[in-house]
Amino acid sequence: MTDTTALAPGRPLFQITGFQFRLWPIVLAAILMQAMLWPAREGARWLFKREADFFHHQIWAFVGLAELFQITVGLAAILLMRRWLPQADSNLRWPPARSYVGLALLIGVGMAAIMLVADYWPQLISHTAPRHDYEMTAVGIPGWLAVMFAAGPNEEIVFRGVLVGMLTVLVPGRVRLGQFEIPVSGVIVSLLFGAAHYGSFFSDPLYQAIAQQLYAFAFGLTYVWLMERSRSLLAPMIAHGVGDLLEVAAVMLLSVIWA
C-alpha cells in the first residue's frame, strides 16, 4: 500500500527501503515461471495438433487450451505455496474493501491504446490493415476476444499471484517513486513478465518486439500496484484482460475498415 509518509518534506523522490538481495529466489522464480508456462503451452500444442479436426483448426482454440492448462498449473502452485511458504500472500481472494474495478477498466482501455500504437504505428499512419492471424469468422471473432480477456486471469495468477507472492517473502523490500510504491518483488517479476514475451523477437518486427518488452514491464508494475491497493487479483485481472481484448478488437475492426 502507498505510505502516506512518502509525501513528507525531505523524503527523496526515489527510495528503496528494507531491500535484502538474494539471487537464488530470483533464479527460482525464473525457473518456476517457465515450469508453469512452457509445459502447459507445449501440452496444449501437442493436443491441438493431435486433434486438429476436433478444434476445427482454430488457432484461438489452441490459445484457450494453453490458458486453461496454465491456469490449472498456477492454481496448483498457489496451493503448494500456501503449504510450503504460508507467509506468502497470493491475493487470490475477492477484494476485502475497495475493488478498484472501475479504475482497472479505465487502465485497461489506456493499455489497449498504448499497445495498439506501439504494435501497429506504421499501419495506423498509413491507414493499412494491420497484419494478424485472427480468424475473422462468426466463431473466430468471439473466440479470440474470449481468450484475450482470459489472458488476464491466466497470467495474473502466475506472475502476480505466485511469483510476486513468493518473492515478496524471499526478497523483501519496497521501492517508491513519488507516490507510486510497490514491493521490490513486483519490479523483479515485471522484468520476468517482459522476458516471458521473448517469442516476439522471432515472429514480429524488431520495433514491435522491443515495444512489447517495454510496455509489458510498465504494465507489470501497474498490475502489482492494483493488486496491493485492492488486496486482490481481481483488479489486475480485469485491467490485463480488458487491455488485451480491446487491442485485438481494434485490430480486427481496422483490418475490416482498411482492408
Side-chain angles (χ1 to χ4, degrees):
M1 300 291 289
T2 302
D3 186 355
T4 55
T5 60
L7 306 179
R11 294 291 295 272
L13 177 66
F14 176 78
Q15 188 176 33
I16 299 176
T17 57
F19 177 48
Q20 298 180 28
F21 176 75
R22 298 188 181 99
L23 180 60
W24 70 265
I26 299 174
V27 174
L28 176 61
I31 294 173
L32 286 177
M33 177 185 73
Q34 289 299 324
M36 287 185 284
L37 298 179
W38 187 85
R41 181 176 62 246
E42 293 307 309
R45 193 187 310 278
W46 175 84
L47 183 59
F48 180 77
K49 289 181 177 180
R50 181 182 176 87
E51 304 293 340
D53 290 338
F54 176 80
F55 295 105
H56 300 283
H57 301 269
Q58 298 286 302
I59 300 175
W60 67 266
F62 155 69
V63 176
L65 193 63
E67 289 177 339
L68 178 62
F69 289 169
Q70 289 171 352
I71 287 175
T72 302
V73 172
L75 292 175
I78 286 177
L79 291 176
L80 292 175
M81 186 172 68
R82 287 176 176 175
R83 179 178 179 84
W84 293 340
L85 194 67
Q87 61 270 48
D89 186 359
S90 68
N91 286 284
L92 188 61
R93 68 173 71 88
W94 192 257
R98 183 180 173 186
S99 69
Y100 285 81
V101 166
L103 180 60
L105 288 170
L106 291 176
I107 288 175
V109 173
M111 288 177 170
I114 291 171
M115 290 189 291
L116 183 65
V117 172
D119 293 341
Y120 299 102
W121 61 266
Q123 292 88 352
L124 295 177
I125 292 175
S126 61
H127 288 195
T128 56
R131 180 179 61 87
H132 65 80
D133 297 320
Y134 308 128
E135 292 94 350
M136 298 292 288
T137 64
V139 175
I141 292 174
W144 272 111
L145 296 180
V147 297
M148 286 297 100
F149 182 77
N154 170 32
E155 296 183 1
E156 291 312 302
I157 288 173
V158 170
F159 286 94
R160 260 55 66 175
V162 177
L163 299 182
V164 172
M166 178 188 75
L167 287 182
T168 298
V169 175
L170 300 179
V171 186
R174 297 188 67 80
V175 58
R176 180 179 59 79
L177 179 62
Q179 299 182 47
F180 183 84
E181 181 180 340
I182 60 173
V184 171
S185 59
V187 179
I188 296 170
V189 174
S190 294
L191 290 171
L192 294 176
F193 184 57
H197 295 78
Y198 70 90
S200 59
F201 283 99
F202 304 103
S203 59
D204 299 323
L206 181 60
Y207 72 84
Q208 190 175 26
I210 294 175
Q212 288 181 3
Q213 294 294 308
L214 295 175
Y215 67 61
F217 173 71
F219 292 177
L221 300 178
T222 306
Y223 299 144
V224 174
W225 182 84
L226 282 171
M227 181 183 72
E228 278 215 321
R229 297 289 291 185
S230 64
R231 297 175 57 197
S232 169
L233 287 179
L234 179 63
M237 284 178 177
I238 291 175
H240 193 154
V242 167
D244 287 0
L245 182 153
L246 290 181
E247 186 201 16
V248 170
V251 169
M252 289 179 170
L253 180 61
L254 292 177
S255 69
V256 173
I257 295 174
W258 291 338

